[in-house]
Amino acid sequence: MSTPSITSVQKEGKLYPPPKAFQKKAHIKSMAAYRKLYKRSYKNPASFWAKAAKELHWFKTWTKAMQWTAPNAKWFVGGKLNVSYNCLDRHLATWRRNKAAIVWEGEPGDQRTLTYQQLYNEVVRFACVLKSLGVKTGDRVAIYLPMIPEAAVAMLACARIGAPHSVVFGGFSAQALKDRILDAGATCVITADGGFRRGQIVPLKVNVDDAVKDTPGVKHVLVVRRTGRDVSMKAGRDVWLHERLAELSAQGRFSCRAEDVDSEQPLCILYTSGTTGKPKGIFHSTGGYLTHAAITTKWIFDLKDEDTFWCTADVGWVTGHTYVVYGPLAIGATTFMYEGAPNHPGPDRFWDIIERHRVNVFYTAPTAIRAFVKWGDEHPKKHDLSSLRLLGTVGEPINPEAWLWYHRVIGGARCPIVDTWWQTETGGILISPLPGATPTKPGSGTLPFPGIVPEVVRKDGTPCDANEGGYLVLKKPWPGMLRGIWGDPDRFKKQYFGDFPGIYFTGDGARRDPDGYFWIMGRVDDVINVAGHRLGTAEIESALVLHESVAESAVVGRPDDLKGSAIVAFVTLKGGRSPGADLKEQLRSHVGREIGSIAKPDEIRFTDALPKTRSGKIMRRLLRELATQGDVKGDTTTLEDFSVLEKLRAEEE
Ligand code: WTA
């Protein structure tokens, strides 16, 4: 754990109060209303959340709202519900039956809209296909799809039969997919013949074929036809979705009731990077997760029935789970999905989409915003963005310059911005403005959502003073919190409850200003945030040392204007191997194959040795300083061999 420090970009600027017209129609209309809610929820979080849970449909109500023995939380104990029933069936009895649930655009420009009735039909049919493949309640299903409506359909179909899904981002390599399939013990993989990205076809099925060579547990691979490209199909294992649907349809009507699922049953597993080489399978519950997803979507994005909500995250990440699929559908909103890249065919693709679909609420990542700034104002300026009324950001601290640009150029200075802080582990947003109530400050996530009790503490657990940097912890459980790390309860306890016993530690550094606003200062562990994606330095190091030429490696993050952090890898080679530009390229591709393109180092530095402590621990802090400032000024007294540092310095020159 390194000590958090305050960076220069995080200085309080001026306050941006919610525009009056916006405020009038917002779900939470004033600071006084927020403060009242917060105060009440602080005294009794369980009762606040129980009220939120009542907005869902329960087949059986719970007997106890919350049960907590650190590190294990249970929410809505004894309650039974179904996520797909809540996202679909219950809307069919209302006027929303013919409302658009999903509006979708493919990268080539093809479009589809599914009403709640149509989405329900698709999900039921899909669930019947899964059942015909032998998938049962409790079985794990891996989903490796592009951003097409079938991704949401597949997730909801799994939820319908009570089979936890593990969605793996389509940008991950075959190797990363294999590791995730094995860790979750998935019996079925859902994929497509490809997906479109920057005009190219992502060979998803080829990757799956590679991955499942060594996953004996996988009985079936279900393939969605998206691109029409030829793919190889292994008899007995691989099944085309459209063919199986036709077979089942010939046998009669589709029907699949939504299973009664226990509130605490896992809904999904999401792999995320931690401080070791092995990604963690974060798993979320059913009742608590959906409660958290639904109320935060409603209050923070202030969604109204007439709104079109576009969260640009891929369903392979938690943001895509909670704010593309489950949150919006649970509250009967219209969610927009886009398959491809933001700069295809041109850098104005997003603005073109917003104009044509009249998107009202737009949620994206700071790294994307910084890219838009770089591409130039002329692209958004070509389009009518007047449908927008609220903007959001997530994934990393947003620098005030990017915030102000977003506010001015995209939001036309009329849209509030919700800077939402949360994590894969938290299931939903925990710190964020409520857009009709909270005056915002560029760069701050502002205040906690009702029912959430964060604090900034010192190493010894005592609370920090105002503006003193410290560690961000969550003092009370909340319904969307992870229920564990799949198959590894010890790591779960140690990772999140080991530093401050009984209290959840986020891994982030933060400070609170005199108004009580939270300013997130980034990770204090060996996790780096690259273009809004979490990567463990250990994960990249493990990938590098698998290469035949590499003896040892140490990976650090260096601040990057566009991506937040860039990846710098220090590499020592095995005897007889010679460094060079070719090998650098080879190593980058190798990491791409092992993990995925997002993990490819931006810079590789060959060195004879790495700086270590006497106990053999690599001193990443020194490498970080070297990579960032070009020299080391901090304490080096624990260094075992001083000449290593000298050599590294010399190589620098
Ligand atoms: C960072 C994404 C500052 C933080 C939902 C956190 C943020 C990690 C913000 C989680 C924000 C996320 N301001 N930092 N608004 N949102 N982070 O698991 O370091 O991919 O711990 O979840 O991203 O990343 P994850």
Side-chain angles (χ1 to χ4, degrees):
M1 216 156 70
S2 61
T3 314
S5 61
I6 294 172
T7 62
S8 62
V9 290
Q10 292 171 318
K11 290 194 188 100
E12 284 94 303
K14 94 177 208 222
L15 275 175
Y16 289 77
K20 284 256 164 11
F22 184 97
Q23 204 164 13
K24 246 194 229 153
K25 294 193 198 143
H27 279 292
I28 308 296
K29 296 180 178 20
S30 68
M31 243 351 227
Y34 162 75
R35 296 243 186 253
K36 200 166 137 199
L37 270 166
Y38 188 77
K39 203 163 152 199
R40 237 189 301 151
S41 77
Y42 184 85
K43 280 196 201 120
N44 192 349
S47 113
F48 171 80
W49 291 114
K51 200 165 164 220
K54 285 189 187 132
E55 302 270 308
L56 300 178
H57 180 90
W58 295 78
F59 297 140
K60 183 167 170 264
T61 42
W62 58 90
T63 48
K64 199 162 190 254
M66 198 249 302
Q67 200 174 303
W68 171 238
T69 326
N72 299 307
K74 285 189 177 163
W75 284 87
F76 315 119
V77 187
K80 295 212 187 288
L81 76 165
N82 185 289
V83 166
S84 132
Y85 187 96
N86 271 285
C87 292
L88 301 166
D89 307 45
R90 68 174 177 146
H91 302 313
L92 302 187
T94 72
W95 69 269
R96 292 195 183 93
R97 186 164 67 89
N98 289 325
K99 172 179 173 173
I102 296 177
V103 179
W104 171 83
E105 187 166 302
E107 194 184 72
D110 43 342
Q111 301 191 10
R112 276 165 74 190
T113 296
L114 291 165
T115 64
Y116 273 93
Q117 180 71 57
Q118 289 168 330
L119 182 59
Y120 165 87
N121 294 348
E122 293 294 316
V123 169
V124 167
R125 282 150 46 95
F126 204 111
C128 290
V129 168
L130 289 178
K131 278 184 162 174
S132 81
L133 297 177
V135 177
K136 304 177 302 298
T137 302
D139 290 350
R140 272 84 60 209
V141 175
I143 300 178
Y144 187 63
L145 282 173
M147 277 294 279
I148 53 177
E150 281 76 8
V153 171
M155 289 162 76
L156 289 158
C158 288
R160 194 161 190 87
I161 55 185
H165 55 67
S166 162
V167 185
V168 179
F169 172 54
F172 277 122
S173 66
Q175 178 66 36
L177 174 64
K178 181 184 105 182
D179 294 345
R180 285 156 176 76
I181 292 173
L182 285 174
D183 189 81
T187 55
C188 177
V189 180
I190 303 169
T191 190
D193 56 4
F196 293 101
R197 183 95 192 158
R198 276 197 192 92
Q200 307 280 313
I201 291 179
V202 185
L204 297 168
K205 177 65 166 67
V206 176
N207 289 348
V208 171
D209 289 341
D210 234 12
V212 299
K213 271 189 211 137
D214 307 312
T215 59
V218 173
K219 301 288 175 270
H220 288 290
V221 176
L222 181 60
V223 189
V224 179
R225 194 165 56 187
R226 162 65 186 133
T227 61
R229 266 278 175 95
D230 267 354
V231 292
S232 73
M233 296 290 280
K234 187 170 165 190
R237 185 195 71 189
D238 299 354
V239 176
W240 281 108
L241 174 69
H242 61 277
E243 286 181 3
R244 180 54 62 102
L245 280 169
E247 283 161 33
L248 292 180
S249 149
Q251 291 166 20
R253 205 166 60 85
F254 287 100
S255 113
C256 173
R257 79 175 271 285
E259 291 291 328
D260 286 19
V261 173
D262 191 87
S263 177
E264 276 301 308
Q265 186 179 310
L267 170 72
C268 60
I269 308 173
L270 267 157
Y271 285 85
T272 190
S273 301
T275 48
T276 73
K278 193 172 170 275
K280 313 175 271 197
I282 302 299
F283 66 95
H284 285 291
S285 72
T286 296
Y289 171 80
L290 195 65
T291 300
H292 190 164
I295 190 175
T296 50
T297 307
K298 196 167 182 171
W299 287 13
I300 295 169
F301 298 108
D302 194 50
L303 292 185
K304 305 293 193 318
D305 262 315
E306 57 275 24
D307 281 332
T308 297
F309 176 44
W310 183 14
C311 162
T312 66
D314 189 281
V315 288
W317 311 112
V318 72
T319 311
H321 280 55
T322 309
Y323 299 110
V324 175
V325 180
Y326 291 122
L329 298 178
I331 63 166
T334 298
T335 184
F336 181 82
M337 283 173 87
Y338 168 59
E339 177 187 33
N343 53 356
H344 190 83
D348 65 336
R349 182 62 183 264
F350 274 19
W351 322 123
D352 183 40
I353 288 177
I354 291 175
E355 176 173 12
R356 282 185 290 105
H357 294 274
R358 306 302 288 157
V359 171
N360 307 102
V361 181
F362 179 67
Y363 186 36
T364 196
T367 183
I369 298 169
R370 290 192 296 266
F372 301 144
V373 174
K374 195 176 124 202
W375 295 342
D377 294 13
E378 64 270 28
H379 305 295
K381 288 212 165 122
K382 273 202 299 242
H383 295 279
D384 173 8
L385 305 180
S386 62
S387 58
L388 291 172
R389 57 179 201 85
L390 176 62
L391 302 173
T393 73
V394 60
E396 56 187 310
I398 182 163
N399 44 313
E401 296 76 11
W403 193 102
L404 290 166
W405 181 89
Y406 197 32
H407 176 71
R408 195 168 39 79
V409 181
I410 305 305
R414 74 183 175 276
C415 304
I417 296 179
V418 287
D419 175 352
T420 62
W421 177 87
W422 59 299
Q423 311 178 292
T424 304
E425 291 86 345
T426 70
I429 298 166
L430 301 192
I431 299 178
S432 165
L434 290 175
T438 323
T440 53
K441 297 182 190 182
S444 167
T446 74
L447 298 164
F449 195 78
I452 302 296
V453 186
E455 192 161 86
V456 181
V457 298
R458 304 187 180 114
K459 235 180 195 141
D460 63 3
T462 54
C464 288
D465 295 329
N467 276 340
E468 179 186 345
Y471 304 94
L472 182 65
V473 298
L474 296 156
K475 296 187 72 182
K476 291 200 175 153
W478 64 99
M481 76 189 284
L482 77 167
R483 296 303 191 264
I485 295 177
W486 194 259
D488 203 344
D490 293 338
R491 186 174 176 196
F492 169 58
K493 191 167 172 191
K494 189 164 166 275
Q495 176 90 51
Y496 301 105
F497 296 88
D499 294 293
F500 305 97
I503 294 176
Y504 176 93
F505 174 45
T506 62
D508 278 348
R511 76 186 161 89
R512 255 189 130 161
D513 71 18
D515 294 332
Y517 278 34
F518 285 86
W519 296 77
I520 307 298
M521 290 144 58
R523 305 286 313 189
V524 293
D525 52 14
D526 289 324
V527 172
I528 45 182
N529 207 325
V530 181
H533 300 310
R534 265 169 74 169
L535 291 166
T537 52
E539 222 176 316
I540 306 169
E541 288 161 6
S542 309
L544 280 166
V545 295
L546 285 176
H547 191 276
E548 48 161 20
S549 300
V550 175
E552 199 174 24
S553 87
V555 169
V556 297
R558 131 161 88 60
D560 181 87
D561 283 350
L562 220 50
K563 302 201 290 182
S565 295
I567 304 169
V568 182
F570 292 85
V571 172
T572 63
L573 295 176
K574 285 183 185 156
R577 316 291 157 117
S578 44
D582 268 8
L583 185 56
K584 276 189 189 171
E585 230 6 83
Q586 266 183 40
L587 292 179
R588 295 187 70 242
S589 311
H590 168 78
V591 174
R593 271 193 306 278
E594 287 297 322
I595 306 175
S597 296
I598 48 172
K600 282 185 181 173
D602 296 273
E603 193 184 328
I604 292 181
R605 294 199 191 177
F606 295 115
T607 165
D608 287 344
L610 294 167
K612 292 187 186 169
T613 62
R614 253 149 279 191
S615 60
K617 217 170 167 292
I618 294 173
M619 294 186 73
R620 279 199 191 68
R621 178 177 56 78
L622 302 189
L623 295 173
R624 222 177 285 135
E625 281 182 44
L626 206 59
T628 309
Q629 299 152 8
D631 198 8
V632 174
K633 302 213 166 52
D635 179 25
T636 55
T637 48
T638 51
L639 196 61
E640 188 234 6
D641 177 359
F642 287 94
S643 69
V644 172
L645 195 58
E646 288 315 318
K647 277 196 205 132
L648 275 166
R649 278 193 181 117
E651 275 157 25
E652 171 77 10
E653 286 145 19

